[in-house]
Amino acid sequence: MGDSEHAGLSEIDELVTISVTAGPSTTSTHQALSKKTWAHVIDVAAGFANFHQLVPKLARDFPFELDVFQKRAVYHLERGDSVFVAAHTSAGKTVVAEYAVALSQMHLTKTIYTSPIKALSNQKFNDFSQTFGEDNVGILTGDVKIRPEAPCLIMTTEVLKNMLYRGADVLRDVEFVVFDECHYVNDLERGVVWEEVIIMLPRHVSIILLSATVPNTREFAEWVGRTKRRDIYVINTTKRPVPLEHYLYVGRAKGQAKNQDGKELVRIVDQGGDFSSTQWREAYNTVHKVRPTASGQSAAKMTGRHMSERQGTTLWVHLVGHLRSQALLPAVVFTFSRKKCEEYANSLRNLDFLNDSRRSQVHIFVERCLKRLKPEDRALPQIVTMRALLKRGVGVHHSGLLPIVKEVVELLFARGLIFCLFATETFAMGVNMPAKCVVFSSLRKHDGRSFRELLPGEYTQMAGRAGRRGLDDTGVVVINAAAEVPDTVTLHTMILGTATKLESQFHLTYTMILNLLRAKQLRVEEVIKRSFGENASQGKAPEHELRLLDVKRQLDGLAPIDCPICEDDIGQFYHVSRSVQRLTSRLHQRAARRLHTESSSAVLVMHALCAGRLVLISYFPHIVLGIVVKRLTADGSQLAYLTDLRYVIQPVPTSSITTILDAIVKQAPASVTSQQLSQKVPSPVSSGLGAAIRNSVDTLCKRDQSPEYPWQKIRILEFQELVSERAHLVVSTKGFQCCACPDIANHFLAVHERAVLQSELDELTMELSDQNLDLLPDYRLRLDVLKDLGYVDEMGNVQLKGRVACEMNSADALVLTELILDNTLAQLEPDEIIGLLSAFVCTEKNEPADLMDRLPSALKDGRKRLLEASRRVGTTQAEYGLPVSIEEYQREFRFGLIEVAYEWARGLSFLNITALTDTQEGIIVRCIMRIADVLKNVTSAAMLIGDTELKLKLESASELIRRDIVFAASLYF
């Protein structure tokens, strides 16, 4: 049977529905199989009255009474269990991590706390150092290493992954690993790291997952538990410490009036989560109603989507001024554009939120922080601008800012000295920095591919910053609707909808494959099998394994056929018979499909499946008689009942019809009632209908030719091909010796029983084998690429090139390895190496038109050789069938900041290198810091291959870029 027909089988099964007589029932030979459940959901609503009896002595005392979800987590940590805590922003998830640190200190073990980004790691390092003492907390983030022997280590998830691949000794003493913001597993590029780390963690480590509320916590926890073979307890809480109210801001831009009640804020969702359509309509009418102006012209062009740029600028003066008048500051305004953040902040140039005392505090704090910079760096335009904003209580926070500026903003906001902060969504991730009010400048963002509405989880994460525990009774969330009011469906979905599920982003990388092949602790196939992406199929593995053993036992228990007539060819006869059956089934399916087309062929096959047609039904191990009752045009199905002096009307799939007979019983009823359809007890066949059925059957039995419907009458090519093929097989059965056996029916049934069990055994074996893994073909193709390029040999042993590539954790491993081993880097000077390496980490797509004219010849040659290497690697991948576009692969290496990096290495000041590009200062800093990470990898590779000269050049390059504002120490240290 062709693939297309297999694909349509389930649809075809619905085309003919047949009822079955009360026949012999068959029961399964095995009981339902039990399956180990690893994830256990805790009912937080049940309370925890006996907590203090179960945990009489806490490892850490808190100055407040713990919430129920925190008590549950603490209790299970005391028992050495793993936990998954999902709660809203600011609910107090960090308490769980703090308790794990305290508990491990009491046990003289270690806790590793991981976060998705370095900035969050720095913040946590500062917080935990204050909580547990500086000597007890260390940090490892690639570019920073402080007290790596401390009992509590803060690090990014990537650093932990690298430690696991290298078998770091510190992991032996680890009791807990905390994964903060673990919903980051949904990140398309970096989410795979979370899965890698969880898979590779030693089984003795207790895992603590901290996440925003997601709908499939149990599913994810079940995967974690099964992967580690440890129970894990899921603790969900949807309770907010400070309830939220959601408002629409309807204006007051020029030319627009307040609404009828004089309110600029219209509440659309109250604390209880009730959406008010009435209030939404009021807001809509306010913003979109057409009003005549004094000159009689329509004001419609000043409403809706047509607000002018000037009005958009003054909007923030009015909106923030209104929040101030309503005592709704401090506020965080989430804006999904770095440029807009600064524009909106600068539009408040005439607003000052600080009194003299607070202004003095800001001045002293900022100046003390900036003292660590050179005088020239303190005069950078971005610092001058931010300093002026901060002295009025206004702040900006986005990735384009210098790291030290972002940290100044964070610390001032935490101290309550910033009253209006314009930020991108990264501010919503991380430590607890709540505000009285959160404002959304828009509900649309660009996700790197296209513009779209915010997802409910994204909205909830940002909105959760509203409401300060212990200070505010409610948190206020404001959506800017002065230009256009979003529709009710969008608002309802975003505010009250379900967050995005945790989904696997697991994919294979060359570095992962090489590391696994080198370490030989886990096979690549085993890691794929343990990934979250294989969760559904692997969750059934225990059940499949038990069933596999059961089927094997049944097969072993079957007696061989002891018949001299049948033993030689009954197996072959069975397979031919099955082929005839499959061809007959295809005939029936195609006939049923033709019935519901508008072509003339529908008329030809209608007679074959008309009401009253007698059919034979497979009701294993019996064949019973049925009659088509009625064809239903709505869904293409038919109803029939089967006769044996009794009948039941019941749907039966087309595949169960073994034969459509050349006989019609006209006395069959024309309709079927719903009562008859639901009837389970067999009913007697009327005497008249019974006599008609017997007459038809007798007539068929007396015929010389086959009693089957004459398909040769249907002159359609596809039917005739099937009929001809089937006829050929039927003729071939006459030559089988087994047909002469008087007991062939029982022998045939025995062969069938064995064939069914063998088929199930083959399917189960396939389900449990590596061949069933979705990523296995991708792995094989990538392994072929590695073999072709000389990274592994034919036996899968990692060669020198492969060991070099294993060192590359911060850039494209294959291309960078090619450049190292073909001496491209060795031929460059340290500053030129830095310039060339920028292509591996630069995110800016634009390249200056005259760039090549300004580069030294050696760097131009290096650029050329990099592109040649990338083409070579890209071509090899494409030749082996990987979905790689050579041109797109080459475009991943971006040279927009090559001159900036080169000049920075040559000693040019930061002020001067910013003049070489339009790229924002923070992006430049991040690029240079990532180059430093790549330099570490390449230096390790140079040591591995014994190239002392290259090693010295790379060490010199690292010293050249580690200076001034780019590598200014974090304020959190």
Side-chain angles (χ1 to χ4, degrees):
M1 186 178 290
D3 292 341
S4 61
E5 296 189 12
H6 274 298
L9 190 57
S10 61
E11 178 182 348
I12 295 301
D13 281 349
E14 299 298 327
L15 291 177
V16 176
T17 334
I18 299 176
S19 72
V20 182
T21 52
S25 62
T26 59
T27 58
S28 175
T29 61
H30 63 280
Q31 300 295 324
L33 297 170
S34 60
K35 185 176 69 172
K36 165 70 176 174
T37 297
W38 300 101
H40 312 278
V41 179
I42 302 300
D43 183 10
V44 176
F48 203 179
N50 60 339
F51 170 70
H52 293 290
Q53 286 75 38
L54 294 173
V55 189
K57 177 64 176 176
L58 291 174
R60 167 171 163 72
D61 293 323
F62 295 92
F64 51 85
E65 180 69 17
L66 297 180
D67 289 337
V68 174
F69 84 91
Q70 294 166 332
K71 291 179 180 178
R72 288 287 182 183
V74 165
Y75 167 69
H76 285 289
L77 292 183
E78 287 278 357
R79 291 178 51 188
D81 298 324
S82 294
V83 296
F84 186 172
V85 180
H88 286 299
T89 306
S90 304
K93 297 187 292 289
T94 303
V95 165
V96 181
E98 291 177 351
Y99 195 82
V101 175
L103 194 59
S104 66
Q105 287 181 341
M106 190 171 72
H107 295 165
L108 301 179
T109 56
K110 293 180 182 288
T111 293
I112 290 178
Y113 182 101
T114 71
S115 71
I117 55 177
K118 290 182 181 179
L120 179 54
S121 294
N122 294 344
Q123 293 167 357
K124 282 297 181 185
F125 174 73
N126 178 67
D127 287 352
F128 281 22
S129 295
Q130 294 179 22
T131 302
F132 298 102
E134 291 185 356
D135 292 341
N136 293 316
V137 182
I139 184 169
L140 300 171
T141 59
D143 58 321
V144 176
K145 180 185 290 187
I146 301 175
R147 292 184 290 278
E149 73 288 345
C152 175
L153 285 177
I154 314 293
M155 62 185 70
T156 57
T157 319
E158 280 82 359
V159 170
L160 178 56
K161 180 194 76 171
N162 296 336
M163 291 173 64
L164 287 166
Y165 276 128
R166 282 159 178 73
D169 291 338
V170 69
L171 294 170
R172 287 200 296 266
D173 299 325
V174 173
E175 182 177 4
F176 300 106
V177 171
V178 180
F179 293 91
D180 199 1
E181 308 284 349
C182 77
H183 48 273
Y184 215 86
V185 74
N186 282 345
D187 186 85
L188 287 173
E189 294 183 5
R190 296 177 58 213
V192 60
V193 178
W194 272 254
E195 295 189 51
E196 277 186 88
V197 170
I198 289 171
I199 291 168
M200 297 179 64
L201 273 176
R203 190 172 297 177
H204 75 269
V205 175
S206 294
I207 294 174
I208 301 170
L209 303 168
L210 305 179
S211 168
T213 53
V214 290
N216 61 330
T217 49
R218 181 169 188 164
E219 178 190 8
F220 191 81
E222 182 68 29
W223 166 71
V224 174
R226 185 172 57 256
T227 300
K228 309 317 298 178
R229 290 293 188 266
R230 291 189 56 175
D231 288 326
I232 180 170
Y233 292 84
V234 181
I235 304 169
N236 290 305
T237 177
T238 57
K239 178 184 176 183
R240 289 185 177 277
V242 181
L244 300 182
E245 295 181 336
H246 303 259
Y247 293 77
L248 293 176
Y249 178 74
V250 295
R252 210 166 34 106
K254 186 177 179 181
Q256 291 182 314
K258 296 181 182 180
N259 67 8
Q260 296 173 352
D261 296 331
K263 296 182 297 185
E264 295 179 32
L265 294 176
V266 178
R267 189 177 70 182
I268 55 171
V269 178
D270 62 18
Q271 295 181 32
D274 293 326
F275 187 95
S276 173
S277 298
T278 303
Q279 291 289 86
W280 175 87
R281 174 59 62 185
E282 181 181 344
Y284 184 88
N285 290 340
T286 299
V287 173
H288 292 271
K289 184 186 294 182
V290 176
R291 298 185 181 87
T293 62
S295 61
Q297 295 177 343
S298 170
K301 62 183 178 182
M302 292 186 287
T303 63
R305 297 180 182 270
H306 302 286
M307 181 175 285
S308 69
E309 184 177 348
R310 181 173 177 274
Q311 288 172 321
T313 302
T314 59
L315 163 71
W316 296 102
V317 176
H318 292 306
L319 195 158
V320 176
H322 183 70
L323 296 180
R324 187 180 195 179
S325 69
Q326 300 298 311
L328 292 177
L329 298 181
V332 178
V333 181
F334 284 109
T335 303
F336 307 106
S337 160
R338 300 194 298 260
K339 181 180 178 182
K340 292 292 185 184
C341 277
E342 297 184 12
E343 285 182 7
Y344 296 161
N346 289 326
S347 71
L348 305 183
R349 65 180 65 90
N350 294 324
L351 290 181
D352 191 341
F353 300 98
L354 303 181
N355 56 30
D356 291 341
S357 174
R358 286 173 172 161
R359 187 174 298 104
S360 175
Q361 292 179 55
V362 170
H363 175 76
I364 293 171
F365 181 81
V366 171
E367 295 308 312
R368 187 169 69 243
C369 293
L370 296 181
K371 271 186 178 179
R372 62 186 66 200
L373 302 181
K374 293 170 60 176
E376 184 180 7
D377 289 337
R378 293 179 217 159
L380 286 169
Q382 187 181 95
I383 290 181
V384 172
T385 301
M386 289 302 124
R387 182 190 280 151
L389 288 173
L390 293 172
K391 288 182 178 179
R392 292 187 284 106
V394 179
V396 173
H397 190 282
H398 60 71
S399 61
L401 294 180
L402 293 161
I404 193 171
V405 173
K406 284 200 295 184
E407 292 181 350
V408 166
V409 170
E410 291 163 4
L411 293 168
L412 286 175
F413 186 84
R415 297 182 182 196
L417 295 173
I418 293 179
F419 286 80
C420 184
L421 175 65
F422 293 89
T424 53
E425 62 184 308
T426 53
F427 188 78
M429 180 187 298
V431 296
N432 187 19
M433 289 191 181
K436 171 69 175 176
C437 174
V438 161
V439 181
F440 288 88
S441 66
S442 170
L443 295 181
R444 290 177 61 80
K445 61 175 278 190
H446 195 279
D447 61 6
R449 289 166 292 185
S450 61
F451 280 99
R452 61 167 174 81
E453 266 88 21
L454 296 178
L455 300 174
E458 293 170 333
Y459 178 90
T460 301
Q461 178 88 354
M462 287 178 271
R465 289 294 173 206
R468 298 162 297 178
R469 191 169 191 170
L471 294 177
D472 303 319
D473 294 330
T474 60
V476 174
V477 183
V478 177
I479 299 168
N480 170 32
E484 181 181 16
V485 176
D487 61 75
T488 56
V489 174
T490 297
L491 289 170
H492 197 281
T493 300
M494 201 170 297
I495 298 172
L496 302 175
T498 303
T500 305
K501 291 173 56 178
L502 295 178
E503 295 182 349
S504 175
Q505 304 301 333
F506 188 86
H507 58 271
L508 294 172
T509 65
Y510 290 108
T511 306
M512 182 197 303
I513 293 171
L514 289 167
N515 272 307
L516 290 169
L517 291 176
R518 183 180 65 169
K520 296 184 178 180
Q521 293 178 347
L522 278 175
R523 295 186 305 118
V524 178
E525 295 91 340
E526 191 64 25
V527 172
I528 297 172
K529 188 180 294 185
R530 295 186 187 184
S531 70
F532 186 41
E534 294 287 339
N535 182 47
S537 59
Q538 294 306 310
K540 298 176 182 177
E543 182 179 344
H544 287 162
E545 289 168 354
L546 289 175
R547 178 58 185 159
L548 184 71
L549 293 174
D550 187 27
V551 171
K552 284 182 176 179
R553 282 194 295 267
Q554 291 184 59
L555 276 171
D556 292 341
L558 292 178
I561 297 176
D562 185 15
C563 174
I565 302 175
C566 292
E567 61 184 2
D568 291 337
D569 62 5
I570 192 169
Q572 186 179 357
F573 175 72
Y574 172 80
H575 289 297
V576 172
S577 300
R578 291 288 291 167
S579 296
V580 171
Q581 183 184 14
R582 282 192 289 270
L583 289 171
T584 302
S585 180
R586 288 171 64 183
L587 267 174
H588 299 165
Q589 291 164 6
R590 293 190 179 184
R593 186 185 295 128
R594 289 271 181 173
L595 282 175
H596 300 284
T597 64
E598 296 182 359
S599 63
S600 58
S601 61
V603 178
L604 296 176
V605 298
M606 192 175 295
H607 189 250
L609 291 172
C610 64
R613 173 70 62 187
L614 289 179
V615 295
L616 294 180
I617 307 297
S618 174
Y619 196 71
F620 186 79
H622 302 281
I623 300 294
V624 292
L625 188 66
I627 303 178
V628 176
V629 175
K630 183 181 180 183
R631 183 169 57 250
L632 302 179
T633 57
D635 59 5
S637 63
Q638 296 187 351
L639 294 173
Y641 60 80
L642 306 185
T643 63
D644 185 15
L645 302 180
R646 299 175 302 164
Y647 74 91
V648 170
I649 297 174
Q650 179 180 317
V652 173
T654 311
S655 56
S656 293
I657 302 178
T658 63
T659 311
I660 296 177
L661 298 173
D662 189 18
I664 297 175
V665 177
K666 296 184 178 179
Q667 290 91 335
S671 62
V672 179
T673 66
S674 59
Q675 180 179 1
Q676 288 175 307
L677 279 173
S678 60
Q679 180 178 310
K680 302 299 181 183
V681 180
S683 302
V685 175
S686 66
S687 58
L689 182 57
I693 293 172
R694 290 190 184 91
N695 289 336
S696 297
V697 172
D698 289 343
T699 301
L700 288 174
C701 292
K702 293 176 182 177
R703 287 170 48 172
D704 294 332
Q705 67 269 31
S706 168
E708 187 181 17
Y709 178 81
W711 294 104
Q712 61 272 19
K713 290 183 178 180
I714 301 178
R715 301 296 181 183
I716 299 175
L717 180 61
E718 63 175 344
F719 280 86
Q720 293 307 308
E721 288 176 343
L722 287 174
V723 169
S724 175
E725 183 180 355
R726 191 182 66 162
H728 176 75
L729 288 175
V730 170
V731 170
S732 71
T733 62
K734 296 179 180 178
F736 285 95
Q737 175 182 312
C738 62
C739 293
C741 177
D743 200 20
I744 187 174
N746 289 326
H747 294 166
F748 188 91
L749 189 61
V751 173
H752 176 70
E753 185 178 2
R754 180 177 293 276
V756 169
L757 287 172
Q758 186 62 51
S759 176
E760 185 179 3
L761 181 67
D762 293 342
E763 289 181 9
L764 290 168
T765 303
M766 180 63 181
E767 286 287 340
L768 293 168
S769 74
D770 293 342
Q771 307 304 313
N772 196 44
L773 300 174
D774 288 341
L775 287 177
L776 188 65
D778 183 61
Y779 166 53
R780 287 174 172 168
L781 294 177
R782 289 179 183 274
L783 190 60
D784 287 341
V785 170
L786 292 173
K787 290 176 180 178
D788 188 289
L789 293 174
Y791 289 77
V792 297
D793 63 17
E794 288 302 318
M795 300 301 295
N797 299 310
V798 178
Q799 303 301 292
L800 177 62
K801 285 181 76 172
R803 295 201 300 274
V804 170
C806 285
E807 302 295 326
M808 305 304 151
N809 303 310
S810 307
D812 186 295
L814 300 191
V815 175
L816 192 48
T817 299
E818 296 294 318
L819 294 184
I820 294 171
L821 295 179
D822 70 4
N823 291 322
T824 296
L825 298 184
Q827 296 172 16
L828 299 175
E829 294 302 315
D831 49 9
E832 295 165 343
I833 291 174
I834 290 169
L836 189 62
L837 292 182
S838 70
F840 288 88
V841 297
C842 177
T843 57
E844 297 299 296
K845 297 180 180 180
N846 297 328
E847 184 178 314
D850 59 345
L851 175 65
M852 295 302 293
D853 298 333
R854 303 200 299 264
L855 295 180
S857 57
L859 200 47
K860 290 179 184 177
D861 182 62
R863 179 181 185 273
K864 177 182 177 182
R865 296 182 70 171
L866 188 158
L867 290 174
E868 289 173 351
S870 65
R871 173 167 285 278
R872 187 165 63 251
V873 172
T875 300
T876 304
Q877 294 182 81
E879 286 175 348
Y880 278 99
L882 285 164
V884 175
S885 164
I886 299 172
E887 291 72 21
E888 290 183 10
Y889 183 65
Q890 285 191 296
R891 283 197 290 269
E892 292 179 9
F893 303 93
R894 296 168 180 167
F895 300 92
L897 293 179
I898 186 172
E899 183 185 21
V900 169
Y902 170 67
E903 294 295 347
W904 176 254
R906 294 183 66 204
L908 207 62
S909 70
F910 195 81
L911 178 63
N912 288 332
I913 67 166
T914 57
L916 299 174
T917 178
D918 294 330
T919 304
Q920 290 180 313
E921 293 89 332
I923 307 299
I924 296 174
V925 169
R926 187 162 73 244
C927 174
I928 295 174
M929 293 181 73
R930 291 184 64 189
I931 291 173
D933 292 338
V934 177
L935 280 171
K936 281 186 177 181
N937 297 160
V938 181
T939 303
S940 297
M943 294 171 62
L944 180 66
I945 62 178
D947 192 334
T948 305
E949 183 179 352
L950 177 59
K951 173 179 173 290
L952 293 174
K953 282 187 176 182
L954 294 167
E955 290 174 344
S956 174
S958 182
E959 292 175 3
L960 289 176
I961 63 172
R962 289 181 172 275
R963 62 181 176 88
D964 301 343
I965 193 169
V966 173
F967 284 88
S970 169
L971 299 177
Y972 290 108
F973 299 161

